[in-house]
Amino acid sequence: MNDVDRSIAPAEVGQLARAVLDAVGTVVVGKRDALELVLAGILAGGHVLLEDLPGLGKTLTARSFAQALGLDFRRLQFTPDLLPADVTGSFLYDQRNGDFTFRAGPVFTNLLLADEINRTPPKTQSALLEAMQEKQVSVEGVTYKLDEPFHVLATANPIEYEGTYPLPEAQLDRFLLRVSFGYPQHEEEWEVLRRRMSRRREEADIKAVVDAATLRAMQAALEDVVVEDSIGRYIVSLTAATREHPSVLVGASPRGSLALLLLARVRAVFGGRDYVVPEDVKSVAAPALAHRITLRPEMWLRRVDPAFVVGEVLEATPAPASGALPSYAAGGPRH
């Protein structure tokens, strides 16, 4: 069923989101800010790229969110010999019926963990493009719709890591945001060990906080979060400034502006508001824009980070004052 079963208010979205984060936090230790970004990407209806060194909890995070959100979950390990049909599925000959039947691949799920996505060649990486953008899969001229919600949480090793292939720019642009976890603090790492000894087994299970229908309702409720014209223009100015920065070869596309808009709405709900303020936009600017920026070759030699470019853009772009009624709002002023 693709329709939203019930309607909820933005305030309830914030409460449910905190409950989901608390549940995931019982397994993933000490990464609240990163977990908030991952959940923001899901609530905004997008896909999330988790890029960091192996062993820092990326796979555990994806599985934990699937459990807490009550979603059907599949994990696909990307390897150099993986074929596009291993992702999307393929037609197989059925001897009993004397005809070809379609066997769906792992992409037919609610939440797909594309583990180590940059260990497979670009041809196989591109098999996900249609699914991520159009929520459908085409095989042998036949198109199959994916059930909603559908989200990809992809893990990736740093591009300098042995045996990796850079993700094509078109695929990077399909990810709403990119998140890094980093190494845990000393006490956080000890807490990981302590919890492992306490549960006496490797697996850590989380009870579902919501289900797929409630998640769809939460996503629909974000459409009621108001974005003033001045905030919208601020978002456009930030994205446009990445294209004009002297260190940048190719700046963020308009899809970057849309990512800022959607993620800022989620941040507003996390803050208990049904309207966006400039701080909401600033808090998601680097995760939403940095992976969409291609630096000039000489900048790589100087080890300039795209996130640093986004930081300079934020400093140089004046933030607006709030108070203007959105031009798209219907029915007059809000009270």
Side-chain angles (χ1 to χ4, degrees), residues 61 78 81 99 123 126 128 155 157 161 179 186 206 218 242 247 271 274-275 299 307 321:
T61 295
F78 280 71
D81 60 349
D99 198 1
K123 181 179 180 180
S126 65
L128 277 176
T155 70
N157 296 314
Y161 210 71
V179 181
H186 182 87
I206 298 175
M218 294 168 69
T242 66
S247 300
D274 64 351
Y275 58 91
M299 294 299 109

Side-chain angles (χ1 to χ4, degrees), residues 246-247 295-304:
S247 300
L295 296 175
R296 296 184 181 278
E298 60 269 24
M299 294 299 109
W300 287 107
L301 297 176
R302 300 177 187 176
R303 297 187 179 274
V304 174

Side-chain angles (χ1 to χ4, degrees), residues 78-80 116-121 125 157 161-165:
F78 280 71
T79 56
E116 296 188 300
I117 190 173
N118 61 341
R119 282 199 182 279
T120 199
Q125 293 174 6
N157 296 314
Y161 210 71
E162 184 177 356
T164 59
Y165 298 84

Side-chain angles (χ1 to χ4, degrees), residues 145-216:
K145 287 288 186 181
L146 299 175
D147 290 337
E148 294 184 2
F150 171 71
H151 301 281
V152 174
L153 295 188
T155 70
N157 296 314
I159 59 174
E160 298 86 1
Y161 210 71
E162 184 177 356
T164 59
Y165 298 84
L167 290 176
E169 288 81 359
Q171 186 164 358
L172 277 174
D173 210 26
R174 260 51 172 207
F175 287 101
L176 197 66
L177 74 165
R178 181 176 62 183
V179 181
S180 296
F181 282 79
Y183 286 109
Q185 300 294 325
H186 182 87
E187 289 301 319
E188 294 171 350
E189 192 164 357
W190 160 239
E191 182 64 16
V192 172
L193 304 184
R194 191 191 66 78
R195 293 186 186 184
R196 169 61 182 84
M197 291 185 290
S198 176
R199 65 176 179 265
R200 302 177 66 86
R201 57 193 177 93
E202 187 63 31
E203 298 79 14
D205 296 324
I206 298 175
K207 292 184 178 180
V209 178
V210 299
D211 56 18
T214 304
L215 175 59
R216 292 197 301 269

Side-chain angles (χ1 to χ4, degrees), residues 268-316:
V269 169
F270 284 176
R273 288 173 278 102
D274 64 351
Y275 58 91
V276 173
V277 297
E279 286 69 24
D280 296 325
V281 179
K282 294 177 182 179
S283 68
V284 297
L289 297 181
H291 66 291
R292 305 175 195 274
I293 295 174
T294 302
L295 296 175
R296 296 184 181 278
E298 60 269 24
M299 294 299 109
W300 287 107
L301 297 176
R302 300 177 187 176
R303 297 187 179 274
V304 174
D305 192 309
F308 176 76
V309 172
V310 176
E312 288 192 335
V313 166
L314 284 171
E315 290 182 4

